[in-house]
Amino acid sequence: MGKKFYTIMIVPHAAAKFRRLKVSRNFLLMAGSFLGVLTIGGLMLPHFLLKSSQLNATLEKLTRENAELKKAIEKFDASLADLRSKLSEFETKAAKFALMVGVEDPNAQQMGAGGSTFDLKSLSPRASRTVLEGEINTLRERSGALQDSFRTLDMAFQKQSLLLSSTPSIFPVRGLMGNGFGWRRDPFTGMRDFHQGLDIVAPLGTKVMAPADGIVTRVGPAGGFGNSIVISHGYGIITRYGHLSAIGVRVGQRVKRGDIIGNVGTTGRSTGPHLHYEVLVHQHNVDPVKYILEEFRSF
């Protein structure tokens, strides 16, 4: 089938010759289509430009937020690193304290647990968040174990503190060392005799102190001991004080280390003013000097 053509006649004004253009139908269709596309494109261009501008603004906002998020993650990671360091320091101290008081440290298995080895700067925000969440969970477990450790240590220290406060660790009176614990010649009979305490010579009326915390269980005359006091310190430890000139406590009274309980005298079987001092552990006399921490000197 032959191509169809159209003739376009151009008639000028005045005496100029008219022109005749011969164009095919296909050319007209193509030209019309091209003009249609140009028209539609011209109409849609502002919409596309607006959309493009909005997308660029959104992209810039996301880029800015991403940069801020990375900075926040880096700052948070630095804080976690500082927290890890402090936690490790506390764990080390807890282990030392546990060793000092002779208890097993429940935090020992958590010791040396390392933190994150990832470089968060090289990770995406989502990956960084996953790493940080794992790190936080690890620190939470370590802090929980450390709390258990400190509870155990607190109980041990309280027990040790009570034991130490109940141990007769100071001289009950300031004076001169007389007869010690052990065999001696009895000053009254001249016979060999075992002295079950410590004699401290001091002027009449010198104050006598409780060498440890305890409860007064007996006061008053006690044969050769004269005016005496007995204090129970717990843990099977008892102290006895003899030859007092005065008694300043009563039965059932609680005393603290350093409290005044009486005065040096010469009552009972005594050759002069002094304090007879005994320490008994589970009803057996022991050398009081072995319990005294302060160095002896004449006061």
Side-chain angles (χ1 to χ4, degrees):
M1 183 175 179
K3 293 182 178 181
K4 292 184 178 181
F5 290 91
Y6 294 94
T7 300
I8 300 174
M9 299 181 65
I10 302 173
V11 180
H13 294 285
K17 293 180 179 181
F18 70 90
R19 296 181 180 278
R20 181 184 299 169
L21 295 177
K22 185 178 181 181
V23 294
S24 68
R25 181 183 178 186
N26 291 339
F27 176 78
L28 287 177
L29 290 174
M30 288 178 61
S33 298
F34 179 71
L35 289 174
V37 169
L38 286 180
T39 302
I40 294 172
L43 294 173
M44 295 295 294
L45 183 60
H47 176 73
F48 286 134
L49 289 177
L50 180 60
K51 282 290 185 182
S52 177
S53 176
Q54 291 175 346
L55 288 174
N56 287 334
T58 302
L59 182 60
E60 289 178 1
K61 182 181 178 181
L62 290 175
T63 302
R64 197 163 52 247
E65 290 177 351
N66 189 41
E68 292 174 355
L69 182 60
K70 282 189 174 181
K71 288 182 180 179
I73 290 175
E74 291 173 8
K75 186 177 180 180
F76 188 58
D77 184 53
S79 299
L80 282 180
D82 184 58
L83 182 59
R84 284 194 298 267
S85 176
K86 286 184 170 60
L87 194 58
S88 296
E89 183 181 350
F90 282 128
E91 287 170 345
T92 301
K93 288 183 178 180
K96 289 181 179 179
F97 287 144
L99 185 63
M100 287 170 60
V101 297
V103 299
E104 183 179 355
D105 182 13
N107 189 56
Q109 294 182 350
Q110 296 289 333
M111 287 285 290
S116 170
T117 58
F118 292 95
D119 181 9
L120 296 182
K121 295 180 181 179
S122 63
L123 299 178
S124 66
R126 178 174 295 180
S128 298
R129 179 180 176 181
T130 301
V131 171
L132 290 176
E133 286 177 350
E135 178 70 8
I136 290 172
N137 289 332
T138 299
L139 291 177
R140 186 180 291 115
E141 292 175 0
R142 289 174 64 186
S143 64
L146 192 59
Q147 284 181 335
D148 293 338
S149 179
F150 277 125
R151 274 194 291 267
T152 301
L153 290 173
D154 183 54
M155 292 172 58
F157 271 110
Q158 287 183 16
K159 185 176 180 180
Q160 288 282 50
S161 177
L162 184 60
L163 175 60
L164 291 174
S165 66
S166 301
T167 302
S169 57
I170 65 172
F171 283 97
V173 70
R174 302 316 194 209
L176 298 174
M177 185 77 76
N179 291 315
F181 181 83
W183 291 100
R184 64 162 186 177
R185 192 169 297 278
D186 188 288
F188 290 95
T189 66
M191 302 291 290
R192 191 166 182 263
D193 176 58
F194 192 86
H195 191 234
Q196 295 185 327
L198 175 66
D199 288 342
I200 304 175
V201 180
L204 190 68
T206 303
K207 294 177 179 179
V208 178
M209 300 177 294
D213 298 356
I215 299 176
V216 178
T217 58
R218 189 181 185 284
V219 298
F225 289 113
N227 294 330
S228 68
I229 298 172
V230 176
I231 298 177
S232 173
H233 302 280
Y235 303 98
I237 302 173
I238 295 173
T239 54
R240 180 183 292 156
Y241 314 82
H243 311 306
L244 301 170
S245 62
I247 295 174
V249 291
R250 65 184 183 281
V251 174
Q253 180 177 337
R254 290 185 176 273
V255 294
K256 293 287 187 181
R257 178 182 286 124
D259 287 351
I260 305 302
I261 60 174
N263 301 87
V264 171
T266 186
T267 58
R269 195 166 177 264
S270 171
T271 58
H274 73 282
L275 173 71
H276 176 79
Y277 172 52
E278 293 183 8
V279 175
L280 296 87
V281 179
H282 301 298
Q283 302 301 319
H284 295 286
N285 285 86
V286 297
D287 188 354
V289 173
K290 291 183 178 180
Y291 280 82
I292 298 173
L293 298 178
E294 59 180 346
E295 183 181 354
F296 179 80
R297 60 187 183 280
S298 57
F299 298 95

